């Protein structure tokens, strides 16, 4: 995912390189800076079996702990294709609750190997604040 530079009025402007992915938890990868890449997905419990199968007694959908691990594993596999990966120091802070369409993201920093998983609800063309759910580090 190489970044592209485009000339704009004589000044080079960085345009993020982005591509679609086919994974239940990550749909798009975007190179945001030279060392950072962001993975995003639109989550909905009605269309995602992992969320639909993990509900509270009240029927609220949650991403299970293994879902966070899979999200991190899949993102790192995109960054380091075909290599052995190691997830370290994973910390879970808040549950990822899905009550309607929710945008999830994993931000990965190649410089230090750290990643953060967060989400925000999408409500009638507006989005809420990002909530941090987990963090950790990964390497090849």
């Amino acid at each position: 995912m190489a970044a592209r530079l485009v000339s704009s009025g004589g000044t080079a402007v960085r345009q993020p390189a982005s591509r679609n992915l086919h994974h239940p938890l990550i749909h798009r990868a975007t190179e945001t800076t030279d060392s950072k890449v962001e993975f995003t997905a639109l989550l909905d419990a009605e269309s995602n079996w992992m969320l639909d199968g993990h509900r509270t007694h009240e029927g609220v959908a949650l991403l299970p702990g293994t879902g966070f691990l899979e999200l991190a594993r899949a993102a790192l596999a995109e960054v380091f294709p075909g290599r052995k990966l190691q997830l370290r120091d994973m910390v879970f802070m808040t549950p990822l609750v899905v009550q309607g369409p929710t945008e999830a993201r994993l931000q990965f920093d190649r410089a230090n190997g750290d990643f953060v998983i967060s989400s925000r609800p999408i409500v009638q063309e507006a989005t809420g604040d990002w909530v941090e759910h987990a963090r950790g580090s990964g390497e090849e």
Side-chain angles (χ1 to χ4, degrees):
M1 298 185 296
R4 300 178 305 240
L5 288 178
V6 200
S7 181
S8 174
T11 305
V13 177
R14 180 182 174 77
Q15 298 296 314
S18 184
R19 65 186 172 101
N20 291 328
L21 304 173
H22 302 288
H23 187 276
L25 295 176
I26 53 175
H27 302 134
R28 176 173 291 283
T30 304
E31 187 101 14
T32 58
T33 68
D34 288 339
S35 68
K36 295 183 181 176
V37 61
E38 183 172 288
F39 298 89
T40 58
L42 178 62
L43 301 178
D44 189 349
E46 303 308 314
S47 60
N48 185 298
W49 67 267
M50 186 180 299
L51 295 167
D52 189 39
H54 292 88
R55 293 183 182 266
T56 65
H57 182 52
E58 294 80 23
V60 177
L62 301 168
L63 183 68
T66 55
F68 287 103
L69 294 172
E70 173 55 19
L71 178 59
R73 186 219 54 84
L76 291 174
E78 289 292 325
V79 175
F80 305 111
R83 299 182 187 161
K84 290 183 181 180
L85 305 172
Q86 179 181 20
L87 297 175
R88 293 176 298 150
D89 305 323
M90 190 86 170
V91 177
F92 301 94
M93 282 136 352
T94 57
L96 197 162
V97 177
V98 178
Q99 294 179 301
T102 301
E103 183 179 10
R105 75 177 178 194
L106 181 143
Q107 296 170 299
F108 178 71
D109 188 340
R110 284 188 186 105
N112 59 19
D114 291 344
F115 62 85
V116 175
I117 299 172
S118 54
S119 73
R120 63 183 178 183
I122 300 172
V123 183
Q124 298 178 351
E125 304 302 320
T127 54
D129 294 330
W130 288 104
V131 174
E132 188 173 317
H133 302 286
R135 58 178 48 237
S137 54
E139 61 186 26
E140 57 177 324

